[in-house]
Amino acid sequence: MGHWLVIDLEATTDDGGWPVTEMEIIEIGASLVTREGREVDHFQRFVRPRRRPQLTPFCRELTHITQASVDSAEPFAEVWAQFERWLMHHQGQLQAWVSWGDYDRKQLLQEWQQHQVLSLLAQLPHINLKQRFAKARHLQRPAGLNSALQLAGLQFTGQQHRALEDARNTARLLPLSLPAGSA
């Protein structure tokens, strides 16, 4: 029986948004789940940004992440090494890694390249659950996470725009988005 790794990232940003090339990860949340969306294990860490270490007021308000949380965090390379050690315990059962939309995949690719980091995730298929959910529900265009939960008759649990809570809520949509027997 395989597991899916649902990942969500929070990153530096400001009102109006920044291009991915300007953003840096400030929180990593991952929920390892069964195909039914039941959590088996999880990972959550803050990350200290290097290029723009001072979070914007917009970013702090959106994510509810304090300046002190990122100031006391380790840089990406160290946090990612901790993540990889955690992930190795589950490597044999991993089917794929999942995110809501394609942003998280693009952000990770950028950070891996900038920090010259290799990742076990690079060897696994990535599933854009936002697209899969839209296809499964025959939506005209993909919905945001909160809207998708509402369409599925579910309420968001926890604090929005926090990595682990977003990952856990995304995981709840996994069984509704993957056709039976699919990877």
Side-chain angles (χ1 to χ4, degrees), residues 60-183:
R60 290 193 314 269
E61 193 174 309
L62 177 72
T63 63
H64 295 88
I65 295 173
T66 65
Q67 187 64 48
S69 293
V70 295
D71 287 348
S72 62
E74 294 173 310
F76 178 81
E78 282 79 18
V79 175
W80 197 256
Q82 294 169 21
F83 176 82
E84 291 284 330
R85 282 193 295 277
W86 173 80
L87 190 59
M88 284 179 79
H89 297 292
H90 306 290
Q91 189 179 4
Q93 300 142 317
L94 282 175
Q95 299 293 312
W97 70 281
V98 177
S99 62
W100 192 258
D102 210 32
Y103 157 75
D104 303 271
R105 184 185 67 79
K106 289 178 182 172
Q107 189 70 46
L108 280 174
L109 288 173
Q110 173 182 291
E111 300 265 356
W112 294 339
Q113 190 174 27
Q114 285 176 353
H115 296 274
Q116 299 176 346
V117 169
L118 297 174
S119 178
L120 296 170
L121 294 184
Q123 302 159 21
L124 286 171
H126 172 259
I127 295 174
N128 178 336
L129 207 64
K130 187 177 192 175
Q131 294 290 345
R132 291 279 183 105
F133 182 83
K135 188 176 175 185
R137 289 289 170 123
H138 308 289
L139 302 178
Q140 291 291 319
R141 61 176 174 269
L145 179 56
N146 205 11
S147 298
L149 286 162
Q150 289 173 2
L151 284 170
L154 302 169
Q155 289 292 315
F156 192 98
T157 55
Q159 179 69 58
Q160 289 184 52
H161 303 295
R162 287 301 305 273
L164 184 56
E165 283 90 343
D166 283 358
R168 285 174 167 160
N169 280 284
T170 299
R172 294 167 66 204
L173 294 170
L174 189 70
L176 306 173
S177 305
L178 297 180
S182 76

Side-chain angles (χ1 to χ4, degrees), residues 31-47:
S31 180
L32 184 72
V33 298
T34 64
R35 195 184 185 299
E36 295 75 38
R38 186 181 59 78
E39 187 172 87
V40 176
D41 200 358
H42 67 270
F43 179 95
Q44 184 278 329
R45 296 283 188 291
F46 292 112
V47 179

